[in-house]
Amino acid sequence: MSRIDSLQTFVSVVRSRNFTSAADSLGVTPSAVSKQISGLEERLGVRLLNRTTRSVSPTEAGQMFYQHCENILESITEAEKLVTDFDVTPRGRLRITAMSNFGRRELARIFNDFSEQYPDISFELHISDRPLDIVKEGYDFALRIGTLEDSRLIAKPVAEQKIAVCASPEYLKRWGTPQSFEDINNHRILVVANAEYARINWLRQFEKDHGFTLQNIERKLTVNDIDLVYEACLKGMGITALPTYIAERHLENGELVQLFTEVDIPVRTIKVVFPQNRYLANKSRAFLDFITNYFSD
């Protein structure tokens, strides 16, 4: 086998932590995998794997070698894509993950318009408010809001998410319209507690900007799903903060009333996130350019 083959075998073993699983993925026998790893260790003069009867794991040297092997194999794959994609019509499948509410409300329209221009590209979409490791799980893009903390990724801003503090007319008729920021203390608040929307901390923004402390607010509903909070707000259960792409239609037709319009709640940036070391195939470049122009228009 070539050196590249031995690197692929080693990476497969580390990922699966098992010779048999690695052999299945490579289409060879476990003994062939074991022989290949032993030959690699002998050639390098260092033990790369700790072996037990149930599993294998990389040694310290093996972990360092594994990281370099991943980069080498990825570079080879990118070089092959660069050639095969050259001057070819964008086609294939894009794997994308997105925040749940944004995904449900925006992406069907975006995908439809994109497909009009690029009919040979299809989508596999994963909706989740739980941040995923898109490098490990093989996604082409993620649509995210908030701070990017993974140095392996590039985040390209594509749109701004504005926030509106809202209540239904029914709620305001029953509980009164807050006339000052301090009046929030006497109202029912609906809180989104998931990782993505918990950062819309409009109550703390009120405290910070206007110098008072919230003491008696009733958190009538705390839930990890913004759609449920949105529906509860429409039904008159309390006051909450919603992205304008959710609330705008209801504000226009009177089903919701925007409160505290003078308060400057910082906008949040919607980003397209993708691995920084990955060559962008034609299909990926087409989507990135399209969604950037889509929101700028």
Side-chain angles (χ1 to χ4, degrees), residues 73-100:
L73 295 174
E74 187 174 274
S75 295
I76 292 171
T77 300
E78 290 178 1
E80 291 174 343
K81 286 182 178 179
L82 180 62
V83 175
T84 56
D85 281 349
F86 182 73
D87 199 26
V88 173
T89 301
R91 58 170 50 87
R93 180 179 294 272
L94 285 172
R95 300 189 71 230
I96 298 172
T97 178
M99 308 92 66
S100 60

Side-chain angles (χ1 to χ4, degrees), residues 5-295:
D5 290 333
S6 65
L7 299 187
Q8 289 175 325
T9 300
F10 173 70
V11 167
S12 182
V13 170
V14 173
R15 286 176 178 170
S16 61
R17 302 297 174 109
N18 184 281
F19 281 169
T20 301
S21 297
D24 289 341
S25 66
L26 295 169
V28 298
T29 64
S31 61
V33 169
S34 179
K35 183 178 180 181
Q36 183 70 13
I37 296 298
S38 296
L40 180 61
E41 290 178 322
E42 183 177 347
R43 179 166 62 81
L44 295 175
V46 64
R47 184 161 57 89
L48 299 173
L49 298 173
N50 293 314
R51 299 162 173 81
T52 69
T53 56
R54 293 187 176 182
S55 66
V56 295
S57 61
T59 62
E60 183 177 359
Q63 185 61 43
M64 293 173 56
F65 187 61
Y66 169 74
Q67 292 170 357
H68 285 285
C69 288
E70 274 200 317
N71 292 335
I72 291 168
L73 295 174
E74 187 174 274
S75 295
I76 292 171
T77 300
E78 290 178 1
E80 291 174 343
K81 286 182 178 179
L82 180 62
V83 175
T84 56
D85 281 349
F86 182 73
D87 199 26
V88 173
T89 301
R91 58 170 50 87
R93 180 179 294 272
L94 285 172
R95 300 189 71 230
I96 298 172
T97 178
M99 308 92 66
S100 60
N101 197 276
F102 179 83
R104 294 187 190 106
R105 282 174 168 76
E106 299 291 325
L107 287 184
R109 176 167 50 90
I110 291 171
F111 287 172
N112 180 69
D113 291 352
F114 179 82
S115 295
E116 292 291 328
Q117 293 187 32
Y118 300 99
D120 295 329
I121 296 177
S122 59
F123 294 94
E124 179 183 332
L125 177 63
H126 180 83
I127 294 292
S128 176
D129 290 321
R130 179 180 63 85
L132 302 176
D133 186 334
I134 66 172
V135 175
K136 182 178 179 181
E137 300 193 35
Y139 286 97
D140 297 293
F141 294 108
L143 289 164
R144 291 182 178 170
I145 297 173
T147 304
L148 180 65
E149 299 177 351
D150 193 332
S151 61
R152 300 172 301 167
L153 304 177
I154 294 174
K156 183 173 183 179
V158 293
E160 289 185 340
Q161 182 199 64
K162 297 180 180 179
I163 305 300
V165 179
C166 305
S168 71
E170 290 76 17
Y171 173 86
L172 298 176
K173 182 178 180 180
R174 181 177 180 184
W175 298 96
T177 300
Q179 301 299 316
S180 67
F181 304 120
E182 288 85 348
D183 285 348
I184 286 290
N185 277 313
N186 302 313
H187 280 270
R188 297 180 169 193
I189 306 300
L190 313 176
V191 179
V192 184
N194 70 28
E196 202 61 63
Y197 289 98
R199 298 188 183 95
I200 306 177
N201 204 334
W202 56 284
L203 296 172
R204 295 293 166 259
Q205 192 71 35
F206 279 14
E207 290 184 318
K208 176 182 176 182
D209 291 349
H210 301 282
F212 69 92
T213 301
L214 297 170
Q215 296 176 336
N216 303 315
I217 61 170
E218 179 184 358
R219 294 179 182 267
K220 188 63 176 178
L221 174 67
T222 300
V223 66
N224 67 342
D225 181 69
I226 195 169
D227 275 323
L228 202 157
V229 165
Y230 151 68
E231 292 291 346
C233 185
L234 278 176
K235 295 297 189 294
M237 193 172 180
I239 298 172
T240 194
L242 295 171
T244 52
Y245 64 76
I246 299 175
E248 189 171 35
R249 174 169 59 91
H250 302 288
L251 293 172
E252 290 174 353
N253 65 22
E255 292 178 307
L256 289 177
V257 177
Q258 185 170 358
L259 307 174
F260 306 112
T261 55
E262 68 274 31
V263 175
D264 183 23
I265 300 177
V267 299
R268 305 169 74 225
T269 302
I270 299 173
K271 307 178 183 75
V272 177
V273 179
F274 53 96
Q276 64 172 333
N277 293 325
R278 182 175 296 172
Y279 164 73
L280 285 181
N282 282 353
K283 61 180 181 179
S284 298
R285 174 57 61 188
F287 181 76
L288 185 60
D289 291 343
F290 179 88
I291 196 169
T292 301
N293 294 328
Y294 193 93
F295 285 109

